[in-house]
């Protein structure tokens, strides 16, 4: 039997295999501060989540025939996902004009951003335009229509990226349950090219390009990414365990909401310890604290208490609260479950904040002394 002819797709598939092997051999290693068997297992899980998004969102990515895909789910986590948020993403290009139809679903905060793709998944991607629910025209049923590209117009219009990029929608819900696990909260989002035509059937060049997009994305989040605690952090990122920085605005940071304030710090908690956090909720549209692993993946919010928004947290009339990060349930309000992890990341979000935001204060205490300190 004659062998199949050589194709570019076969070469691209071999390159993807090399990227995965390189991620395993280099990224899952002490070079990226990974030392234990648990570190390797968690990194391999993260790698599979990256591969999953690559196949769902990037492989057949086509700005001439875009589709919205849910960016993250309880079983696909990347780039700092939030349990209370439903994200959709689709490719766009300056070559076309688009019509986007969606619904608010009574979200507490909603934004639509257009971003320039230097490389998908890069935090260096630039946010070029944004509409949020304060500037978005919505009908009485909570539905809206946005045009991207074409002639500039008043109202629901966004300029396209100068080359290729993406549109991302963010629906935040401040409820007692997490929107990420509640299908009733998932909005319908559609995008179409105005006066578009059907794309051609997949060719060798299209399939190989799709495989290479997947490979480039995995490289971006593994061997091309600077190891944790290296590089210059932003003002709202702390490298000191258990010490939060003042919350700050992200600017044009890729994949971030430009009208939010963030604060991030690593937590380190022993089996017989608890991290007590005291703070005060600011005036804002939405706020929460959630726990991530080192790969910016939320912990298991479908089954554990790893994230608390204002509707879930016990606070006084002035918005002051005390939360506790520990390995076991200490029997006090506002517990955040580490899943038994000695190390992780605590991340704060404040959407459309008004005025100054108090910096949360944290204190590591013996678990046995916890009740006497609350």
């Amino acid at each position: 039997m004659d062998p199949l002819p050589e194709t570019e797709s076969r070469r691209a598939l071999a390159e993807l295999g090399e990227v995965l092997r390189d991620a395993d051999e280099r990224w899952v290693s002490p070079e990226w501060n990974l030392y234990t068997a648990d570190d390797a297992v968690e990194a391999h899980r993260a790698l599979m989540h990256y591969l999953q998004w690559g196949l769902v969102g990037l492989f057949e990515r086509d700005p001439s025939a875009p589709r919205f895909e849910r960016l993250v789910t309880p079983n696909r986590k990347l780039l700092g996902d939030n349990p209370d948020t439903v994200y959709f993403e689709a490719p766009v290009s300056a070559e076309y004009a688009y019509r986007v139809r969606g619904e608010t679903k009574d979200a507490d905060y909603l934004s639509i951003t257009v971003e320039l793709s230097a490389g998908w998944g890069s935090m260096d991607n630039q946010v070029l335009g944004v509409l949020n629910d304060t500037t978005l025209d919505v009908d009485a049923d909570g539905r809206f229509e946005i045009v991207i590209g074409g002639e500039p117009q008043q109202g629901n219009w966004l300029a396209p990226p100068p080359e290729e990029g993406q549109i991302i929608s963010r629906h935040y819900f401040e409820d007692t349950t997490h929107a990420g696990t509640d299908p009733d909260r998932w909005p319908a989002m559609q995008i179409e090219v105005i006066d578009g035509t059907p794309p051609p059937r997949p060719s060798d060049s299209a399939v190989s390009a799709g495989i290479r997009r997947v490979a480039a994305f995995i490289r971006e989040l593994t061997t091309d990414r600077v190891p944790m605690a290296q590089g210059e952090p932003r003002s709202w990122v702390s490298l000191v365990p258990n010490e939060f920085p003042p919350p700050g605005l992200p600017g044009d940071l890729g994949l971030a909401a430009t009208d939010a304030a963030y604060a991030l710090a690593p937590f380190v908690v022993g089996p017989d310890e608890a991290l007590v956090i005291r703070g005060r909720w600011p005036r804002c549209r939405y706020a929460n604290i959630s726990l991530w692993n080192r790969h910016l993946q939320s912990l298991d919010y479908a089954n554990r208490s790893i994230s608390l928004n204002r509707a879930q947290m016990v606070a006084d009339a002035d918005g002051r609260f005390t939360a506790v990060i520990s390995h076991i349930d200490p029997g006090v309000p506002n517990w955040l479950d580490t899943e038994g992890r000695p190390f992780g990341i605590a991340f704060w979000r404040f959407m459309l904040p008004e005025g100054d935001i108090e910096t949360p204060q944290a204190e590591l205490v013996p678990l046995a002394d916890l009740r006497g300190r609350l």
Side-chain angles (χ1 to χ4, degrees):
M1 182 179 293
D2 293 335
L4 287 174
E6 186 66 20
T7 63
E8 193 63 26
S9 62
R10 176 162 283 166
R11 285 187 284 269
L13 188 61
E15 293 167 14
L16 175 59
E18 291 172 3
V19 167
L20 292 170
R21 281 191 295 272
D22 200 33
D24 178 44
E25 294 171 2
R26 288 192 54 224
W27 180 63
V28 186
S29 77
E31 186 179 355
W32 266 263
N33 303 319
L34 302 176
Y35 298 96
T36 69
D38 283 348
D39 290 343
V41 169
E42 188 162 79
H44 288 140
R45 177 175 178 264
L47 184 60
M48 293 299 99
H49 283 220
Y50 302 160
L51 180 60
Q52 184 186 160
W53 170 247
L55 295 174
V56 168
L58 304 181
F59 172 55
E60 295 202 339
R61 188 178 186 82
D62 184 355
S64 74
R67 295 186 303 271
F68 274 117
E69 301 285 357
R70 275 191 72 190
L71 180 54
V72 292
T73 72
N75 296 314
R76 181 175 66 242
K77 303 181 180 187
L78 59 152
L79 301 169
D81 63 294
N82 184 23
D84 297 327
T85 308
V86 182
Y87 305 86
F88 280 92
E89 193 268 2
V92 292
S93 166
E95 189 174 347
Y96 306 98
Y98 303 89
R99 182 177 292 108
V100 173
R101 294 186 177 94
E103 56 183 347
T104 66
K105 278 288 191 178
D106 295 322
D108 291 287
Y109 167 86
L110 164 64
S111 75
I112 311 287
T113 58
V114 170
E115 305 186 10
L116 179 66
S117 290
W120 211 103
S122 172
M123 296 300 186
D124 295 328
N125 286 357
Q126 184 180 1
V127 177
L128 303 177
V130 59
L131 289 170
N132 64 34
D133 52 63
T134 67
T135 56
L136 192 64
D137 292 330
V138 179
D139 70 17
D141 295 321
R143 298 185 181 278
F144 57 85
E145 184 174 299
I146 300 170
V147 172
I148 300 173
E151 289 297 320
Q153 54 188 270
Q154 295 295 319
N156 292 0
W157 182 84
L158 286 168
E163 298 173 358
E164 189 169 319
Q166 62 257 353
I167 177 173
I168 297 178
S169 68
R170 302 167 175 84
H171 290 68
Y172 282 74
F173 298 91
E174 200 162 39
D175 294 334
T176 55
T177 57
H178 295 306
T181 60
D182 184 358
D184 290 338
R185 287 301 196 184
W186 302 345
M189 295 291 297
Q190 297 177 320
I191 183 170
E192 63 179 358
V193 174
I194 297 174
D195 298 326
T197 58
R201 67 182 179 88
S203 64
D204 186 21
S205 61
V207 172
S208 57
I211 296 171
R212 288 184 171 121
R213 281 193 295 272
V214 176
F217 173 63
I218 292 172
R219 274 198 308 269
E220 168 66 33
L221 294 191
T222 57
T223 55
D224 282 358
R225 179 145 294 184
V226 175
M228 181 177 288
Q230 295 185 20
E232 188 65 29
R234 294 176 182 261
S235 63
W236 45 270
V237 174
S238 170
L239 299 181
V240 180
N242 304 334
E243 183 175 311
F244 293 106
L249 301 178
D252 62 358
L253 177 69
L255 306 175
T258 58
D259 42 18
Y262 300 132
L264 177 156
F267 67 82
V268 177
V269 179
D272 299 319
E273 296 176 321
L275 187 65
V276 177
I277 304 171
R278 293 180 172 87
R280 180 177 179 272
W281 294 122
R283 289 179 59 85
C284 60
R285 187 71 65 78
Y286 166 94
N288 84 326
I289 176 176
S290 58
L291 303 186
W292 298 343
N293 64 21
R294 74 173 78 213
H295 306 297
L296 309 187
Q297 296 177 294
S298 66
L299 304 189
D300 181 11
Y301 59 83
N303 299 294
R304 296 173 181 264
S305 175
I306 65 87
S307 177
L308 293 170
N309 60 44
R310 291 179 299 180
Q312 295 166 325
M313 188 177 281
V314 176
D316 67 17
D318 195 38
R320 295 196 174 276
F321 61 83
T322 300
V324 175
I325 298 176
S326 62
H327 301 320
I328 61 173
D329 186 348
V332 299
N334 305 333
W335 174 50
L336 290 161
D337 184 352
T338 67
E339 300 182 342
R341 300 164 183 271
F343 163 83
I345 294 171
F347 187 76
W348 300 86
R349 284 179 173 89
F350 308 98
M351 313 307 294
L352 292 177
E354 300 177 21
D356 294 334
I357 304 173
E358 290 186 19
T359 302
Q361 303 297 312
E363 178 187 13
L364 193 65
V365 304
L367 189 62
D369 297 346
L370 181 61
R371 289 186 178 276
R373 293 174 178 266
L374 298 183

